[in-house]
Amino acid sequence: MNALTFCKMPFNHRVGWKELQASSPSIPLLVWLVVLPMSLLPPMMLYFAGTHYGDAFMAGFADREWRFITTIIFLAELLSFFIMGWLIHTVVNGTDELSISYQDAYLLAAFAPLPLFASSLALLVPNLLFNVVVILSALVISCSLIYHGLQALCTHKEFDVITISVTYTIMAASALGWGVLFAVIWAY
């Protein structure tokens, strides 16, 4: 799959998804080739920003234990892949209208956070407002990836409201988990 096809996937459930599904990468292969390398990007960028920008980026930013914080974030990202795959499978198959296989659930769990991982490159710019805008934009694109991925990967009876509801449930659980994690880390 090329980069242009991936860029179209958040906006269309027909482009790229079936090709990705047909390649049928195993869950360990997804971890090694997609999740692990991309999960390294946000902790590395956060460590860079925390050790180079200091309080010029945000008040109190320099006084953090960045090695500890970034290690916890990296481990949480890896763990969240497995939790998200399970959550997607459970929520989708908990409805009468939709169905998804474990393989496809983990495929979606691997590709949905990629915009968020890539948004960490915004930390190269020492501007808090710019970073917030980029991260919120990436969150919207990630939500769209989940929605269109569910449309493409699920067997369903054309109940789009159910797909929207399932997407909302998955994103709400994700946001809650990450919110708690970041609150605990920031309190440290």
Side-chain angles (χ1 to χ4, degrees):
M1 175 183 305
N2 62 32
L4 183 60
T5 302
F6 181 75
C7 290
K8 292 179 182 178
M9 289 171 64
F11 310 106
N12 192 328
H13 68 274
R14 291 180 182 89
V15 177
W17 288 106
K18 293 301 179 183
E19 176 186 338
L20 192 60
Q21 187 180 30
S23 69
S24 188
S26 67
I27 294 171
L29 189 64
L30 282 171
V31 171
W32 284 109
L33 296 181
V34 178
V35 177
L36 186 63
M38 291 303 289
S39 292
L40 285 170
L41 192 57
M44 289 188 328
M45 294 307 301
L46 191 57
Y47 184 80
F48 171 78
T51 57
H52 285 80
Y53 303 148
D55 288 337
F57 188 72
M58 180 178 18
F61 202 65
D63 300 332
R64 303 286 175 199
E65 293 289 331
W66 290 111
R67 286 186 191 133
F68 172 74
I69 291 171
T70 55
T71 301
I72 295 300
I73 289 173
F74 173 68
L75 294 174
E77 287 172 342
L78 293 179
L79 180 63
S80 70
F81 164 71
F82 295 103
I83 292 172
M84 284 304 298
W86 170 83
L87 180 70
I88 291 168
H89 184 266
T90 302
V91 170
V92 169
N93 290 328
T95 66
D96 293 333
E97 292 84 9
L98 300 174
S99 175
I100 193 167
S101 69
Y102 270 111
Q103 179 66 31
D104 290 342
Y106 280 98
L107 185 67
L108 187 55
F111 280 86
L114 291 182
L116 292 168
F117 293 156
S119 73
S120 67
L121 291 172
L123 288 169
L124 290 170
V125 178
N127 183 309
L128 182 61
L129 180 61
F130 173 76
N131 279 271
V132 168
V133 168
V134 169
I135 290 169
L136 290 176
S137 300
L139 183 62
V140 169
I141 294 169
S142 184
C143 291
S144 183
L145 267 172
I146 290 177
Y147 173 69
H148 289 293
L150 288 173
Q151 282 184 318
L153 301 174
C154 290
T155 56
H156 54 88
K157 303 173 187 170
E158 296 302 321
F159 286 103
D160 211 34
V161 173
I162 301 298
T163 308
I164 292 170
S165 176
V166 167
T167 302
Y168 175 77
T169 303
I170 292 167
M171 289 309 299
S174 301
L176 179 65
W178 280 102
V180 168
L181 172 71
F182 283 114
V184 168
I185 289 173
W186 195 255
Y188 183 88

